[in-house]
Structures are given as C-alpha cells and as structure tokens.
Amino acid sequence: MDSQPAPPGFNYDESKVPDYTLPDPLLMEDGTRVTDAKTWREIRRPELLQLFETEVYGKAPGGKVNHQVKALSREQAALDGKATRMEFEISFPDAPDLKWYLLVFLPNSASRPVPGFLGLNFNGNHSIHPDPGIRLSTAWMRQGGKSPGVKDNRATEASRGESASRWPVDKIISRGYGLATIYYGDIDPDYDDGFQNGVHGTMDSFGRPRPAPDEWGSIAAWAWGLSRILDFIEVTGIDPHKVALLGHSRLGKTSLWAGARDERFALVISNDSGCGGAALSRRRFGETVARINTSFPHWFCGNFKKYDDNEDALPVDQHMLISLVAPRPVYIASAEEDVWADPRGEFLSAKHADPVYRLLGTGGLGEETMPDIDKPVGETIGYHIRSGKHDVTGFDWDQYLNFADRHLSGKKHDVP
Ligand code: GTR
C-alpha cells in the first residue's frame, strides 16, 4: 500500500492509528436512540445536516436564485452520430460577473428524458473529450503536471481532451445515459483569495469580504452550484429524477456534501474523496484535518479549523455524511495506492453508515470487512477498492454504470 512517500509527520502506518470512538448516527443530541424512519427524517437527519453545515462545510444561501439559461450550441451528430452534444450558458442577473458553462451529451438511441450522470470537472469542459466543437474555457485554471495545456492559468487548444481518460463519454452514451458537466472553477475558482471571486464574491447576500465561520467555503459553493444545475437540468433532456451525481477527490467530497444536502439527487458517487469526503477524520491516517485546512484553507468553513489536531472534538464524522444520503444509493470508491485518501477509512465510513440504511429499509453495505482489491460489494451502499492510483478509471466507471443500472432504471426517484 505504501507507494506514496508519507510527508514528514504524517502517518501511513495502520498500527499507529489512535483509539477513537465514533459518534453514533442513530443517537440524537438529547441522547435518545432513533428507532424509526420518521424520527430519523424529522429530527436526527436535520440535526446532522446542521452540524455538517455549521462545523464542516459552511452554510450556503437557501432557496433558488434568479438565473438565465441560454442554449449556446447543439450538435446532433456528435460522437459519430451516437450522441447529441449541447452547451448552455448560465448567467445570473444579480451577479453579472458570474457565468457558468454546462456541457451535455445525450444518447441519440434513447428516448428522452434519459437518466444521466452529473459531475464537476477539474480542467474545463473541453478537457473531457477532444471534440473540437466544445467551447474552450476562458476561465482561470490551476496549472500543474496533470494539465500541461494550461498556460498562464488559462486553457489552450492543447488542453482539449486532456482529462478524457476520466470521462468515458462513448461508454456512458452507449449504456443509455446522458452526461452533464461543468468546470468547477466557473462556480468558484480553486484558490484562496479571501472569497472575493466566484459565487462568494458576487452573491448579494454573501457579498461581504469573507464568509462568517459557519458560512460556506469552496466545497459548499461547488455543492450549491450542483444543486443550481439540477434546478434546470430538465431542459437539457436529462431526467431530474434520475441524476447520478459523481465527483473525484475534492470533487468527490463535493458530491457527497451536495448529495447529503439535496435529496433530489437520486444517486451519489464519491471517487477517492479522502479527508473531508468519505474517509473517517478520527483515524488521522493519510491527510488529516489540520493538514487539509492548512493546504486548502478555503475548502471548508472557518469553524472546521477548530478540529485541527482535535478530531475527537468533532460532533460528527464522515460516516454520518454518507448516512445523510440514505436511503438513496451511494457509491464509495477507493484506490489501493491512494493511501493519502485512507482507503480503509473510506470503507469504514460506508460500513458505519450501514445501520442508517438498514433502519430505512434498504440493504445497505452488508459487509463487515474490506473486500479484496477490484471486487465491488454492497447493495445500496456500493464500495470498491481498485488496484492503482488516485484517479478515475474505466474500472471505476464500469462499477458506477452497473450501480446506476441497478438503482436508476425503471423506477422514478421521489423526493421525500
Ligand atoms: C489533494 C488533497 C486531497 C484531494 C486531492 C484532489 O492535494 O490533499 O484532499 O482532494 O488534492 O482533489 O486532487
């Protein structure tokens, strides 16, 4: 497992994981045990949501926002005639500097509306497929080894298709699903500028220089953005009742938080999400709360910093985040060499969310011990640890497509 060198002072040794006691998702704040679905729904779920909101990710503005959706392009013969490709520009009359661009592929062979995957991308819509018809993003973009086509923090033509291995569009389409994606930096650029830019800087009600300690960091902003896309996704031809939300790494943390808050998402997938995502914080294995808050001070809310080197004081842990998706299907994926994200901690979160899934009448995870490498398990909570590194691969997608086939086909997802 130890293929990545541990940064100084950080633990990759299972025998050094400290003793810890996880808070019980089914024990209410007044000490009463939850024994029925109604109490979970009406009391415990709201309690937990509020704790994650105020202590971990931060509160986002409630309600719908005024926005306009403009169709920019439509190509009915994309992917050699197998798909229709569309792009939409989303603008906000109250925030003129904010513009989002949504890319959608729909299978031509399926009748609409179709079930679909929705996910944020790291490097611009044009990076997910080499199709030259996709608009090249003009937004600020991170630079680094994985995106050599980005120069001076802007995408160049060379960055087209750079992330294509993570987005098997042909496969998704041939399985009868639509795909909708948006560059996460359109919603909030991923760097610490004191929350001046992106949605933080432009929304009227949150227009002050810095959110209060219990208000949204960038993960909450990205999650909020996903809900705004869901508000209008119907116009694209994707069935709003059959949206599988998916994210990798920091965007896997985001998909879990978005799926926890917004019950309209029918299925939630977290790929290699690690600390602040699926991994239990109390294990302090790989990336820790203190480390993530230092490297990425803008991701979580100010209050989360109270738990730097103080994980036992957290009123929640990440198994409770997964349980907030219940009874909807959730898939947690780890990678064997991704020790920074703590695969065992991700599995244990899934396992400790299981009692909530069972209380709500689903099959849950149904596994006590971590499965073998490349052996997916679970019924309503899916889990696998695949061989290889921190990434999204064809193996990962095969499991997500199979899981979506099992849970999204046929029945309509009703929002409680
Ligand atoms: C790492 C970070 C992780 C993970 C990852 C990513 O640097 O420590 O929490 O989110 O970035 O998003 O790629």
Side-chain angles (χ1 to χ4, degrees), residues 71 75 81 101 125 180 205 237 260-261 308 337 350 358 365 373 393 415:
E75 171 54 69
Y101 295 91
N125 295 342
S205 50
R261 310 174 62 228
D308 289 1
E337 294 173 36
R358 295 205 172 250
L365 176 70
I373 306 298
T393 68
V415 177

Side-chain angles (χ1 to χ4, degrees), residues 243-371:
V243 173
L245 184 61
L246 148 137
H248 168 61
S249 206
R250 68 199 68 183
L251 301 179
K253 308 179 206 301
T254 303
S255 68
L256 284 176
W257 179 230
R261 310 174 62 228
D262 191 336
E263 294 181 278
R264 296 173 301 164
F265 290 112
L267 188 155
V268 179
I269 300 164
S270 125
N271 192 88
D272 303 359
S273 60
C275 181
L280 291 176
S281 301
R282 279 171 173 75
R283 276 174 47 82
R284 289 152 266 207
F285 186 99
E287 187 171 31
T288 60
V289 171
R291 173 66 192 238
I292 205 165
N293 278 332
T294 307
S295 318
F296 306 102
H298 58 297
W299 282 2
F300 299 86
C301 72
N303 279 342
F304 195 48
K305 297 185 174 62
K306 292 191 293 194
Y307 307 102
D308 289 1
D309 299 315
N310 188 24
E311 287 85 351
D312 291 318
L314 268 165
V316 289
D317 211 319
Q318 300 306 106
H319 61 308
M320 292 163 146
L321 179 65
I322 294 166
S323 70
L324 286 174
V325 182
R328 292 163 294 152
V330 63
Y331 201 107
I332 309 297
S334 308
E336 187 185 13
E337 294 173 36
D338 187 17
V339 285
W340 186 238
D342 186 15
R344 181 169 298 280
E346 295 180 319
F347 170 78
L348 289 172
S349 265
K351 175 177 158 174
H352 292 294
D354 181 86
V356 177
Y357 273 82
R358 295 205 172 250
L359 178 82
L360 301 182
T362 78
L365 176 70
E367 296 289 323
E368 283 301 308
T369 52
M370 245 176 123

Side-chain angles (χ1 to χ4, degrees), residues 63-341:
K64 297 203 171 163
V65 284
N66 200 2
H67 67 268
Q68 286 161 355
V69 182
K70 185 166 102 189
L72 285 186
S73 65
R74 183 183 179 89
E75 171 54 69
Q76 277 171 278
L79 306 184
D80 299 324
K82 284 182 292 207
T84 298
R85 174 194 14 89
M86 294 168 280
E87 286 182 286
F88 299 87
E89 181 187 85
I90 301 102
S91 54
F92 302 83
D94 303 328
D97 293 341
L98 201 62
K99 290 248 192 306
W100 302 354
Y101 295 91
L102 182 74
L103 170 67
V104 177
F105 284 95
L106 296 184
N108 285 338
S109 58
S111 56
R112 306 205 176 133
V114 290
F117 289 86
L118 167 65
L120 298 172
N121 65 69
F122 277 99
N123 298 112
N125 295 342
H126 61 274
S127 71
I128 76 144
H129 195 279
D131 180 345
I134 300 173
R135 175 185 175 278
L136 190 76
S137 173
T138 56
W140 179 93
M141 215 158 272
R142 288 188 308 141
Q143 264 177 241
K146 285 183 193 142
S147 46
V150 177
K151 302 266 183 290
D152 300 325
N153 295 109
R154 302 287 152 179
T156 68
E157 286 290 330
S159 58
R160 289 192 178 280
E162 262 179 354
S163 311
S165 68
R166 290 182 172 182
W167 298 92
V169 185
D170 283 81
K171 188 190 285 195
I172 297 165
I173 292 297
S174 70
R175 295 278 295 256
Y177 290 90
L179 172 68
T181 186
I182 160 173
Y183 169 52
Y184 79 135
D186 280 358
I187 300 169
D188 196 34
D190 190 3
Y191 64 95
D192 184 19
D193 72 335
F195 295 112
Q196 305 291 323
N197 59 18
V199 291
H200 292 104
T202 49
M203 301 294 296
D204 258 351
S205 50
F206 285 74
R208 41 187 188 272
R210 213 179 168 100
D214 65 347
E215 287 174 349
W216 57 349
S218 290
I219 290 175
W222 300 322
W224 177 88
L226 286 164
S227 289
R228 302 293 67 79
I229 302 289
L230 190 57
D231 291 343
F232 69 84
I233 205 158
E234 196 162 12
V235 304
T236 71
I238 291 179
D239 185 342
H241 301 285
K242 292 186 181 168
V243 173
L245 184 61
L246 148 137
H248 168 61
S249 206
R250 68 199 68 183
L251 301 179
K253 308 179 206 301
T254 303
S255 68
L256 284 176
W257 179 230
R261 310 174 62 228
D262 191 336
E263 294 181 278
R264 296 173 301 164
F265 290 112
L267 188 155
V268 179
I269 300 164
S270 125
N271 192 88
D272 303 359
S273 60
C275 181
L280 291 176
S281 301
R282 279 171 173 75
R283 276 174 47 82
R284 289 152 266 207
F285 186 99
E287 187 171 31
T288 60
V289 171
R291 173 66 192 238
I292 205 165
N293 278 332
T294 307
S295 318
F296 306 102
H298 58 297
W299 282 2
F300 299 86
C301 72
N303 279 342
F304 195 48
K305 297 185 174 62
K306 292 191 293 194
Y307 307 102
D308 289 1
D309 299 315
N310 188 24
E311 287 85 351
D312 291 318
L314 268 165
V316 289
D317 211 319
Q318 300 306 106
H319 61 308
M320 292 163 146
L321 179 65
I322 294 166
S323 70
L324 286 174
V325 182
R328 292 163 294 152
V330 63
Y331 201 107
I332 309 297
S334 308
E336 187 185 13
E337 294 173 36
D338 187 17
V339 285
W340 186 238

